[in-house]
């Protein structure tokens, strides 16, 4: 894991943009956001590079500015369980930051990635100075908990076909666009849904044959029959 020595000061405008992307900060006034900008540093990672791993500890909050980050756990047998994909504006490391406990998961750059990093002491000072930040963090925790509970429920009570259909429905509602874009390769979708890439490909082909979806290339598709997917 690369800590402070890996951090390099970044252009002020880049830092401001990074902070302004994050829901826990972007509600602040311009002058307040500028304070936070001064407390951030830039960190760059190449594709496949580990940002931190299970067992590591950290005193930093990580904010994705460019690129994407995979958050996943490994079972005792070495099987990977994808937790989520972080996009620009998402943050990570907060649980270890607040509790001081080691990470129980891994964070790896999916592509060349830039992070904005803030020290624990700076974040704690901002939480005291601007209590609204705490409320925004709690809102984000609530959203993550809700998604985790839905995932656990689907893994324990639904077969792979229903999990894949529910995942497509959730994507369509989140993206509110046509066609929708799969945010990750099918192998990562399979890991996230607790199934295999072959099953994901086969079920998507089945959905298309039934006229529920239309696949457009590798990562895009149109939802043609939302009701069918929701009631599967």
């Amino acid at each position: 894991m690369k800590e402070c020595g890996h951090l390099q000061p970044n252009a002020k405008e880049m830092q401001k943009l990074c902070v302004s992307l994050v829901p826990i900060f972007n509600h602040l006034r311009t002058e307040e956001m500028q304070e936070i900008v001064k407390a951030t540093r830039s960190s760059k990672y190449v594709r496949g590079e580990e940002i931190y791993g299970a067992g590591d500890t950290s005193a930093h909050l990580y904010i994705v500015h460019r690129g994407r980050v995979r958050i996943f756990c490994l079972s005792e047998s070495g099987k990977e369980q994808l937790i989520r994909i972080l996009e620009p504006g998402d943050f990570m490391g907060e649980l270890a930051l607040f509790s001081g406990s080691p990470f129980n998961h891994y964070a790896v750059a999916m592509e060349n990635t830039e992070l904005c990093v803030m020290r624990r002491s700076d974040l704690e000072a901002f939480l005291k100075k601007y209590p609204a930040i705490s409320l925004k963090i709690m809102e984000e925790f609530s959203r993550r908990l809700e998604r985790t509970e839905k995932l656990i429920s689907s893994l324990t009570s639904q077969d792979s076909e229903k999990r894949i259909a529910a995942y497509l429905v959730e994507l369509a509602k989140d993206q509110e666009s046509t066609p929708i874009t799969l945010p990750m390769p099918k192998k990562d979708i399979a890991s996230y849904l607790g199934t295999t890439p072959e099953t994901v490909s086969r079920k998507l082909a089945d959905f298309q044959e039934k006229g529920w979806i239309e696949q457009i290339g590798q990562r895009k598709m149109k939802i043609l029959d939302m009701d069918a997917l929701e009631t599967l």
Side-chain angles (χ1 to χ4, degrees):
M1 179 181 179
K2 298 183 179 178
E3 279 289 357
C4 294
H6 188 61
L7 307 181
Q8 298 294 330
N10 196 21
K12 188 173 182 179
E13 188 60 33
M14 175 270 179
Q15 292 176 354
K16 184 175 181 180
L17 176 60
C18 181
V19 169
S20 68
L21 287 172
V22 189
I24 64 173
F25 296 131
N26 64 11
H27 61 285
L28 299 173
R29 295 194 299 269
T30 300
E31 61 271 21
E32 296 170 344
M33 211 177 296
Q34 286 175 346
E35 288 186 65
I36 295 174
V37 167
K38 295 176 182 178
T40 62
R41 294 293 183 269
S42 172
S43 183
K44 296 183 179 181
Y45 296 84
V46 299
R47 179 180 179 182
E49 185 175 1
E50 183 178 289
I51 299 165
Y52 58 75
D56 289 340
T57 57
S58 174
H60 296 91
L61 179 73
Y62 301 88
I63 302 166
V64 181
H65 177 234
R66 293 192 179 94
R68 294 188 300 160
V69 176
R70 299 171 69 248
I71 304 295
F72 63 93
C73 295
L74 290 178
S75 68
E76 292 183 359
S77 63
K79 184 178 179 180
E80 181 182 307
Q81 172 63 58
L82 183 67
I83 300 174
R84 61 183 178 270
I85 300 290
L86 299 184
E87 305 277 353
D90 291 330
F91 61 91
M92 60 188 178
E94 68 285 346
L95 293 181
L97 186 66
F98 292 130
S99 69
S101 302
F103 292 111
N104 63 357
H105 58 270
Y106 296 81
V108 174
M110 296 180 67
E111 54 198 62
N112 291 345
T113 297
E114 293 182 27
L115 305 178
C116 290
V117 185
M118 179 183 294
R119 293 178 301 180
R120 177 191 309 190
S121 57
D122 290 323
L123 179 60
E124 289 176 345
F126 288 129
L127 291 176
K128 293 176 182 177
K129 191 171 184 179
Y130 306 118
I133 296 175
S134 299
L135 296 177
K136 292 293 184 179
I137 290 177
M138 291 177 64
E139 288 176 7
E140 178 60 24
F141 284 174
S142 295
R143 282 192 291 270
R144 292 184 182 182
L145 179 60
E146 181 181 9
R147 289 191 176 187
T148 300
E149 289 178 341
K150 285 182 178 179
L151 178 60
I152 293 174
S153 176
S154 68
L155 289 174
T156 56
S157 64
Q158 297 179 344
D159 59 29
S160 59
E161 184 177 55
K162 291 181 179 179
R163 293 201 298 271
I164 295 168
Y167 176 73
L168 295 181
V169 169
E170 183 178 0
L171 276 184
K173 291 180 178 179
D174 287 345
Q175 295 184 14
E176 297 182 343
S177 62
T178 301
I180 63 171
T181 301
L182 298 179
M184 48 189 157
K186 291 176 183 176
K187 67 179 181 64
D188 288 330
I189 293 175
S191 173
Y192 181 69
L193 297 177
T195 185
T196 65
E198 294 78 15
T199 298
V200 170
S201 295
R202 186 173 64 253
K203 293 303 178 182
L204 291 179
D206 289 344
F207 293 166
Q208 180 162 276
E209 185 175 344
K210 292 175 180 177
W212 297 351
I213 67 171
E214 178 187 350
Q215 298 189 73
I216 308 171
Q218 292 294 316
R219 300 283 286 273
K220 291 184 179 294
M221 68 176 60
K222 291 181 179 179
I223 304 297
L224 303 178
D225 193 338
M226 182 72 77
D227 290 340
L229 293 174
E230 289 182 315
T231 57
L232 184 64

